[in-house]
Amino acid sequence: MHRSRANGVRLAAASIIGTMAVLTMLSVVGATGAAATSTTTTTTSTTTTTTTTTTTPASRPVPPSAHPTTRFNSGTPNSTIRIFNSKGQLIQYGNQFVRYTLPASSLIPYGEALYSVNCSACHGADANGHPAAGTPGGPYPDLLGLGPATYSFWINSGRMPAAQTPDVQAVRRNPKLSPYQASAVAAYINSLQPATPYVPVVNLNGASLSDGAQLFSLNCAACHTITGDGDALAWNTYAPSLRHVPAQQVAEALRTGPGNMPVFTGNLTDRQLRDVVAYVTEKIQHPQNPGGLGLGGLGPVGEGFIGLALGVGLLALVGFWVGDRT
Amino acid sequence: MTGERPLEHRSPVELKAASWSDPHMQPAAKHPRFVERIIALTFIAGLALFALFVVAYWQNWSAWTLGATMGAGMLFIGFGLVAWGKYLMPRGPFVEERHDLASSKEEVEAFTNALVERGGGTLQRRRVLGGLLAAGLGVFSLGTISLLVRSLGPLPKLTLTETDWKAGTYLVDQAGRRVTAGQLSVGSVLTVFPEGFQNTDNGQAVDQTILIRVKDTSFTTVEGRSTWAPLGYVAYSKLCTHLGCPVGLYEKELKLLVCPCHQSMFDVEEGAIPTFGPAPRPLPQLPLYVDSFGFLRAQRGYDQPVGPGYWERTT
């Protein structure tokens, strides 16, 4: 009786130790595999022909940038391409990597109607953050002079219009307004105090994923983690997951810095922006997990915990069953 | 040894010839053909799955298939082995008596006599032996200490207290481009290095500095540092004062730098004093100035050691 019980315990102990060794090896292999896949794929970028088109007379007015930088081609009207309409208004700027476009001015009346229904209760009729007297809560953010990309990001990511005042930070939801309506609201608010950045459209052709991976690990991974799943930050704020963010919203977030996110204007050129967006939409959002399950991409701690709890627990039970001969 | 007694005092265990009616036999043994067929089936299943694993590997099928075939194959072989063992072996419990462990009286006496006889001559030289023993142990312990000292590696000398930041060093980014005063917009961050050291080990490890444009006007983080943050640019060592992790998480609205390892938080506007977490000291600040061409440069190096504390450190 005693002897067989002791044998069972010994077997269980041996199986636990063995399983832990195997799991450790597996997790190491998985981690290195994941790291390797993120850097190996390289797409050679197209040869860039420098086309300085549509040089503008100095008299043409260019709206001020909410995030000024002297660096050429990095998200401000200081770009290779600048297109003005017949009234002398800057309607598009950028280059072959990113085009920043002003939402059509014909949408302004529709945008005004949408604004008064969806936004003015908190942000005020003048969009300056001062609602009508007697509105609880606040102060609310001043929306003037932020540029259409900011409005487009907040509405298209479903963070605005918010159901109620966000406690810490607004969460991504199904957008309440359609992209067309978002453009209309952006056109209206921007018409109150015109500013840049305009709404970016990224041309992902010829993007370099290896450059994107390097830029991602340097600039984004600190908060959003190397797998893009997001992580907790100070005082209940957090970096959201990047898993379901469309390319345009990635670009808008980089150029405008929503909430606590730093602004990446001036430290990323439009070409680098394109590479980062390509890496996020192609690699971060379609991860290759060599081990099969990604386990949420939470890193070695989570993987080890699941391995210990499930794998070792299960094998210990098997060990007891095998060893228990009485 | 003087003992003449027989070597074995064991009480013999009755080993009965196993018969199928024996209660010690597994019930399975009563149907040997059936059991053997089951075992054979599991071995065949394991064999087939291993063969399938080889095919799967050869054909480069998915990782799931590889794992499933090999795992299930091992499971079947293991199951068969266990079942076979259980079928062959009689079922316990069995009791086997040990023989008496204590020495007999004669053996004890003989041993004592022998010890006294030999010791009479040997123990007189005990001083020499004792001395030699002490010397041996002494050399051993000295040797152990010397091994520790030998393994210490080179002295760090000035590398703990000095970085490559000197008076007038240009701030460059990862690619080696100099940073201009108009480059970053308010709320932007950039990891910067002293020019020429962006690709060196020391540059990547010790010199890395985080440049933040907190606002667009010059400001003072701590009294006495009124000129250190021109045009709202402020630069702090990126090494956490707790354990040296890169403090790269800047929260634009809270104006906090967060360390990803242990959630230390540093107030960027107040000289990076830690407001939360285990970090014991503020991040060292690099004094900046804008030169006449608009480039950002260091007024001088860090005024204190960067990174985590060490035991000679007084501040």
Side-chain angles (χ1 to χ4, degrees), chain B residues 227-244:
Chain B
T227 63
W228 287 24
L231 300 175
Y233 282 98
V234 62
Y236 292 109
S237 165
K238 210 179 174 184
L239 299 181
C240 187
T241 52
H242 177 219
L243 290 174

Side-chain angles (χ1 to χ4, degrees), chain A residues 69-70 233-234 257 259-260 263 267, chain B residues 182-183 187-189 251-254:
Chain A
T69 170
T70 55
L233 297 175
N260 272 309
V263 181
N267 39 6
Chain B
Q183 183 176 328
S188 282
V189 293
E251 296 217 53
K252 185 182 64 176
E253 288 185 352
L254 297 172

Side-chain angles (χ1 to χ4, degrees), chain A residues 1 67-71 218 222-223 233-235 237 256-257 259-267 272 290 292-293 321-322 324-325, chain B residues 63-64 79 82 86 89-91 93 174 177 180 182-190 248-254 256 258 265 276:
Chain A
M1 187 68 182
H67 309 292
T69 170
T70 55
R71 198 166 173 190
L218 191 68
C223 296
L233 297 175
W235 308 126
T237 58
T256 64
N260 272 309
M261 178 167 157
V263 181
F264 289 90
T265 299
N267 39 6
Q272 292 174 316
L293 263 184
W321 173 71
V322 169
D324 192 15
R325 292 178 48 202
Chain B
W64 275 109
F79 182 84
V82 171
K86 283 189 174 246
M89 299 301 287
R91 185 166 57 168
Q174 175 91 351
R177 281 184 298 255
T180 62
Q183 183 176 328
L184 292 193
S185 51
V186 174
S188 282
V189 293
L190 189 67
L249 286 62
Y250 176 56
E251 296 217 53
K252 185 182 64 176
E253 288 185 352
L254 297 172
L256 284 179
V258 185
M265 297 173 194
F276 180 87

